[in-house]
Amino acid sequence: MSPNQKMARGNIIVWGSYLVVLAIVLAANGTILFWQEDSLKNVFFTITGVAFAAFIIMMSLVWIRASKAKVTIDERDHKIMNRANALAGPIAMTALAATSLVLGLVYVEGTNSVMSPYFLMYVTLINVVVYWLAQAIYTLVAYRRN
């Protein structure tokens, strides 16, 4: 298994778990006034910090093991990763547009018409995660095909 495949699997595990945990926290506590409670913001930051630390550890382990095993990356690996990046970009942009539209509709129709600046950070972070997940899923599919 190539380092790219290992990273893709790690990304799916780390960031998929991250999105599931965030969905559970937001479903249990609500989203409209999420930014007004410090405890919920701290939970979000803690979950994000743990996920990012797991991501860094996973990336480090994959590349340390690959360098010790002297694994080389060939043209096929570069081609797959180029296609994965080309596919993940439009998916992340579509997710960004959809997220922005949904947030706009929620706040225009809701009783609270003021959107927190924290949501800009949340939207950006979630869409980076969508990019990584799309890239990882395509990477695994492309290696499976070849």
Side-chain angles (χ1 to χ4, degrees):
M1 182 181 301
S2 77
N4 290 338
Q5 288 173 295
K6 290 177 184 176
M7 281 192 313
R9 285 185 182 193
N11 277 337
I12 289 172
I13 292 168
V14 169
W15 298 115
S17 301
Y18 172 76
L19 290 179
V20 167
V21 170
L22 276 186
I24 291 169
V25 168
L26 291 177
N29 296 298
T31 59
I32 298 294
L33 301 176
F34 174 77
W35 58 274
Q36 290 180 341
E37 288 191 38
D38 285 338
S39 62
L40 289 176
K41 281 192 286 189
N42 290 338
V43 167
F44 174 82
F45 292 136
T46 301
I47 293 168
T48 301
V50 168
F52 191 71
F55 173 72
I56 296 297
I57 290 168
M58 180 267 307
M59 293 279 286
S60 299
L61 289 175
V62 167
W63 286 113
I64 288 170
R65 289 180 181 165
S67 64
K68 284 183 180 177
K70 299 195 188 312
V71 176
T72 59
I73 296 176
D74 59 6
E75 288 179 25
R76 180 183 68 127
D77 296 324
H78 287 294
K79 187 176 178 181
I80 287 172
M81 291 311 295
N82 285 340
R83 279 189 277 155
N85 290 328
L87 178 75
I91 290 172
M93 289 300 134
T94 303
L96 176 64
T99 308
S100 299
L101 286 172
V102 167
L103 277 175
L105 290 173
V106 165
Y107 278 93
V108 167
E109 297 295 325
T111 58
N112 185 4
S113 62
V114 178
M115 188 182 301
S116 166
Y118 284 105
F119 274 115
L120 295 174
M121 180 181 59
Y122 301 153
V123 167
T124 302
L125 182 61
I126 295 301
N127 286 291
V128 167
V129 170
V130 166
Y131 178 88
W132 284 336
L133 284 174
Q135 180 190 46
I137 291 167
Y138 179 79
T139 300
L140 291 178
V141 168
Y143 274 106
R144 185 110 174 139
R145 286 183 189 168
N146 292 332

